Amino acid sequence: MSTLVIVESPTKARTIRNYLPKGYHVTASMGHIRDLPSSAEEIPKEQKGQPWSQLGVNVENNFAPLYIVPKKKKKVVTELKQALKEADELILATDEDREGESISWHLLEVLKPKVPIKRMVFHEITQEAIQKALTNCREIDENLVHAQETRRILDRLVGYTLSPLLWRKIAKGLSAGRVQSVSVRLLVQRERERQAFQSANYWDLKAELLQKKSKFEAKLITLGGKKLASGSDFDAATGKLSKGKKVVVLSQAEAIALKERLQDQPWTVSKTEEKPSTRRPSPPFTTSTLQQEANRKLGISARDTMRTAQKLYEEGYITYMRTDSVHLSEQAIAAARSCVEEKYGKEYLSPKVRQYKTKSKGAQEAHEAIRPAGNSFRTPQETGLSGRELALYDLIWKRTVACQMADARLTQLSVILKVDDAEFRSAGKRIDFPGFFRAYVEGSDDPDAALENQEVVLPDLKEGDQPTCKKLEEVDHNTQPPARYTEASLVKALESKGIGRPSTYATIIGTIVDRGYVQIRDKALTPTFTAFAVTALLEEHFPNLVDTDFTSQMEQTLDEIATGKAQWLPYLKNFYLGDDGLGTQVKVREENIDPATAKAIAIENLPVKVKIGRFGPYIEAANGEETITASLPADLTPADLDPEQVETILKQKTEGPEQLGTHPETGDPIYLLVGSYGPYVQLGEVTEEKKKPKRASLPKTVKPEELTLQMAVDLLALPRLLGEHPETNKPVKVGLGRFGPYVVHDQGKEGKDYRSLKKEDNLFTIDFERAMELLAQPKRSRGRGKTKTPLKELGKHPADNEPVNVYEGPYGIYVNHLKVNAGLPEGETVETITLEKALELIAEKAGSKATKKRSTTKKKTTAKKTTSRKTKTSS
């Protein structure tokens, strides 16, 4: 008897194959084989004229979805049908969540098998789990299928109804989404809070004291019996003390005077206090908490976290990575407790088994937390993993093991010191028993926060002791606006508000970054001008769609559909049709939306209007009776724009660029300008004869006001020749590019070998020897500071046995073989790409390069012949 088993990816197929009996053939569907049409050309001819065809959902016929098999999946479907012909039984072994259930349903609809069908589910790929799943197969869960289909239709209705409206009213290429738009609004709201924030200034004193050769610090807490002001005592909207606060606010002058008054006074310990406390370990990871912690501790984006976790799951290292549950099976608890006892000893084991309860709204995905796979956990060192995979597995292993460890026992220490009419406080922390701290300490969204496992030691102090004050200084404080969201804190906010599903957060964050709604700077998500414009339009005309409570309620209804408590069709009709439905509201309100108003962005404390134009954001200001406009740099956000910058940009537009001086060798004027990509210097003016004068961007570390004439001359001299490479006799240069300063070994036809300069290197003074040192170092990937490692190793090229790998670059995911890079086509992912498909892409790319090269050569040859004929005729 032959059994065909279908899973989503080749990696998963390879792993499962090892645990199945003979006669089982495992193949991959490469994800979904059917979907709604992604473009007009995919719509079948018979439906093209229908008014609903662009939506891909027939809203006039019970919201029937128009499913098509994309061109790229037709070969896969053919292969699956062929494999099914040779099988006596079909097992659908896709993932156990709604998406996996939907993939299995689509496979049934397309393949139409005539043999017995089983649905097999498991949450880890191990021998025991697969054998157990084989004996506990079930039928496809129609409720889960309807829940996924309703989500897909709902997302399509929102996206394909609102996005065209944004194109017409603001700019082409914009998009709206059910969860995406709410996420963007959260970021914009936070930025508005920061803009409206009024900083308050206050001062206090800090003392450095000595007790029996032990130094410790203390801070001023009361003066004259009144509490000293802290940041929480001020109103964020006004910058003044909040109403009802009876505290002392010191100015700089008062702080200095107080310091001088207390300088020589005796210090006495008036009170000491010790409070015991315990810390319990965090629950094992869910999808959301894994994304948060990987971002905090490893600096990995939500998208990369899920990509890496998917690989670990499919290769059998961890359990299923899309889950809301913190529950652990009895076998997992036994494995974790065994690890604790072996690695740390019995005293570090929790006296009782710890079992955690899921708190997130509508938890519904897999039934167990993310943990190492199997009935015994491999230590990170035993896995043979490396790079990002090892780092993420290590994080999961530690968190899982720590959850079965003993509590950490701490003592909080507090010492009050009196000097004249002032009181100072010194705080400390002693760890009496580290417990789970030995394995794992949770990260924090506040980068300045001390980790819980860090002790703060105080000397042995008793009431009446008189330590010596070695140093007393005044300290300046300014209240800080609320911090911008990071990927970790945004994921946490979305989950706590019940918006979207944790399994979709990685895609959502990736989308809002890719679509230009957000820039990531030092982990912070900074909204752009486009984000402000789109959010303002949706808030005014479609407030429900960006309301967190409304979106959360939608999510709950979708969860009820998954459990059969709610019906999907009435819900869709109510959402889209009728007078209050989205379809009707867009038609009614579109006439009332003025594009000029929609493109304008309200930013506080700016004397000009900011608008979204065809080529990006620009400012508009009155200059007498005329209106002048000036483009803003592409990487500038509302957070960066201030009145001084506006004045500089407008001055350049009305009076021409600022002249720094003249070039010492050519005598040409050197100008400082601000363009679409930021500030730059220019040698000479633009004329008919010289349409493109020499230009050079300013390094990111140099502000326009800091630029000197000599620096401008040095910038215009780039790229600068440093010498010739001793092995090739080819030039070695230093220059400034898109990714910052670099050195390059220019080998002509053999290509260019680049290295970025380090922080300690100076762009203008670096010499040949230092450049050679940098070129001798291994090449590093952009932005990571590590040797570039592939996202996926596909295998060897049959022609030359060289590796074919998958990488991520500034323009997306691509496959690489030697010097040929080929981007992944739409619909293809890191998980679905195979060696065979990669070889096709590489061959196609190499062929197009060769054709282009021949075409260029032919044009040059033809041009030469034409020139020759013309010369002959004229002579």
Side-chain angles (χ1 to χ4, degrees), residues 40 160 255 374 415 453 497 803:
Y160 275 51
V415 176
N453 65 337
K497 294 174 188 294

Side-chain angles (χ1 to χ4, degrees), residues 394-446:
D394 183 66
L395 202 64
I396 294 166
W397 187 91
K398 285 177 178 175
R399 176 94 163 209
T400 308
V401 169
C403 83
Q404 294 302 317
M405 292 179 73
D407 294 343
R409 297 193 299 273
L410 301 85
T411 299
Q412 304 293 338
L413 310 170
S414 176
V415 176
I416 305 297
L417 300 111
K418 196 164 180 59
V419 50
D420 200 20
D421 62 343
E423 281 187 326
F424 285 70
R425 181 174 181 268
S426 183
K429 179 169 65 179
R430 184 176 68 239
I431 297 176
D432 302 312
F433 177 68
F436 72 92
F437 284 170
R438 284 285 305 273
Y440 186 85
V441 181
E442 190 171 37
S444 170
D445 289 321
D446 179 3

Side-chain angles (χ1 to χ4, degrees), residues 256-529:
I256 292 172
L258 179 62
K259 179 185 78 171
E260 290 173 353
R261 178 161 69 84
L262 301 179
Q263 194 82 54
D264 300 319
Q265 297 292 326
W267 292 64
T268 306
V269 174
S270 61
K271 184 182 178 183
T272 63
E273 189 176 21
E274 292 191 2
K275 281 186 180 178
S277 64
T278 59
R279 296 286 183 275
R280 291 183 172 82
S282 301
F285 282 129
T286 61
T287 302
S288 167
T289 54
L290 178 63
Q291 290 173 9
Q292 293 173 48
E293 200 72 341
N295 186 249
R296 294 185 194 116
K297 288 198 164 190
L298 306 178
I300 304 176
S301 69
R303 184 189 280 175
D304 285 341
T305 298
M306 293 310 293
R307 191 178 286 148
T308 307
Q310 176 97 29
K311 186 177 179 184
L312 290 172
Y313 162 67
E314 291 182 346
E315 292 181 349
Y317 290 105
I318 63 171
T319 53
Y320 192 53
M321 67 289 155
R322 293 188 185 95
T323 174
D324 293 335
S325 175
V326 292
H327 172 74
L328 287 177
S329 66
E330 289 181 9
Q331 294 91 333
I333 290 172
R337 294 178 73 82
S338 174
C339 284
V340 175
E341 200 167 337
E342 288 176 19
K343 191 168 180 65
Y344 304 106
K346 275 190 177 181
E347 68 272 26
Y348 283 92
L349 195 61
S350 169
K352 293 182 180 178
V353 167
R354 294 188 192 272
Q355 193 58 274
Y356 298 86
K357 289 185 179 180
T358 302
K359 294 179 181 177
S360 69
K361 294 182 182 179
Q364 50 73 43
E365 304 278 0
H367 60 270
E368 195 173 2
I370 303 169
R371 61 167 176 85
N375 294 333
S376 61
F377 296 165
R378 284 173 283 185
T379 65
Q381 294 74 27
E382 291 170 342
T383 59
L385 293 167
S386 62
R388 188 175 284 173
E389 286 81 15
L390 176 61
L392 196 65
Y393 180 85
D394 183 66
L395 202 64
I396 294 166
W397 187 91
K398 285 177 178 175
R399 176 94 163 209
T400 308
V401 169
C403 83
Q404 294 302 317
M405 292 179 73
D407 294 343
R409 297 193 299 273
L410 301 85
T411 299
Q412 304 293 338
L413 310 170
S414 176
V415 176
I416 305 297
L417 300 111
K418 196 164 180 59
V419 50
D420 200 20
D421 62 343
E423 281 187 326
F424 285 70
R425 181 174 181 268
S426 183
K429 179 169 65 179
R430 184 176 68 239
I431 297 176
D432 302 312
F433 177 68
F436 72 92
F437 284 170
R438 284 285 305 273
Y440 186 85
V441 181
E442 190 171 37
S444 170
D445 289 321
D446 179 3
D448 298 321
L451 291 177
E452 285 193 302
N453 65 337
Q454 291 177 344
E455 280 193 319
V456 181
V457 179
L458 291 182
D460 185 21
L461 292 163
K462 299 179 183 64
E463 287 184 24
D465 283 350
Q466 291 191 321
T468 305
C469 180
K470 304 297 290 183
K471 188 178 179 183
L472 187 61
E473 58 183 354
E474 65 276 13
V475 183
D476 182 17
H477 297 279
N478 287 295
T479 54
Q480 298 299 310
R484 291 189 181 95
Y485 284 105
T486 61
E487 286 198 35
S489 58
L490 180 61
V491 165
K492 188 175 182 180
L494 290 172
E495 186 182 35
S496 67
K497 294 174 188 294
I499 298 167
R501 302 301 324 153
S503 56
T504 65
Y505 293 157
T507 305
I508 290 161
I509 293 172
T511 299
I512 64 178
V513 172
D514 295 342
R515 294 283 167 87
Y517 288 115
V518 167
Q519 290 182 16
I520 300 179
R521 300 175 177 178
D522 295 327
K523 288 190 178 182
L525 300 173
T526 307
T528 62
F529 290 104

